[in-house]
Amino acid sequence: MSAESSADLVSHGEGDAAVKDVQDGAATPSRLEEEGEVAADYLEELLDIADIDGDIDIEIRNGRTYISIVSEEPDSALQALVGSDGEVLEALQELTRLSVLSATESRSRLVLDISGYRQERGGVLAALAEEAVAKVRQSGEAVALQPMGAYERKIVHDAVAELGFNSESEGEGPSRHIVVSKGE
């Protein structure tokens, strides 16, 4: 199945979530769909406990499950689930992955997004990569970026590579960051 020919949307629960398979991946679609269903159930329960309204969408692409929680209300309580610099979102993603692991006995690489935060942050990270490349191009010296999580580092690495430059992750734990340098 190609990215252009997406599969049917499958309703989850009471219509709060939908599963869309847009590309075959390394993991089997049925396993990824199960992962999405388990994650959606966990997140629906969390939203119910917190009395927060939100719609859950599940999309499968590039061998990963992507879960999005959105609300039509602009000043949604969902913003509290993103937190400062996405810290709460990262924690919820890890908890959701643990829930999937507990239910399926299989590690999950699912990505959780709330209110479009990751998409918006992806644009900011791409711009950051472009600025770093411009500095390297101008000075010829390597440029170290601020520490960031693995998912964000992956976005920056990809953006830097597209621009024909090199990037490496350096440091450990919360100090792990990217250093951008000239391409070879």
Side-chain angles (χ1 to χ4, degrees), residues 22 84 115 166:
V22 294
S84 175
S115 296
N166 293 333

Side-chain angles (χ1 to χ4, degrees), residues 9 21 27 35 46-47 67 69 83 90 92 100 110 112 114 117 119 124-125 150 155 168 177:
L9 287 174
D21 182 3
E35 181 178 287
L46 177 88
L47 291 174
I67 311 269
I69 304 175
E90 288 295 326
L92 284 174
V100 170
L110 72 82
L112 175 62
I114 298 176
Y117 175 82
Q119 183 175 3
V124 170
L125 293 169
I155 292 170
E168 273 185 40
H177 63 281

Side-chain angles (χ1 to χ4, degrees), residues 99-162:
S99 174
V100 170
L101 175 63
S102 174
T104 66
E105 297 182 358
S106 179
R107 287 183 49 90
S108 171
R109 295 179 39 219
L110 72 82
V111 176
L112 175 62
D113 190 14
I114 298 176
S115 296
Y117 175 82
R118 289 204 193 273
Q119 183 175 3
E120 183 179 314
R121 182 73 177 144
V124 170
L125 293 169
L128 181 67
E130 289 173 11
E131 289 173 19
V133 164
K135 287 180 185 176
V136 170
R137 189 176 283 137
Q138 182 180 18
S139 71
E141 300 291 321
V143 173
L145 302 178
Q146 293 293 320
M148 59 185 78
Y151 182 79
E152 291 187 347
R153 285 195 315 273
K154 168 86 169 95
I155 292 170
V156 173
H157 284 305
D158 290 349
V160 168
E162 276 185 34

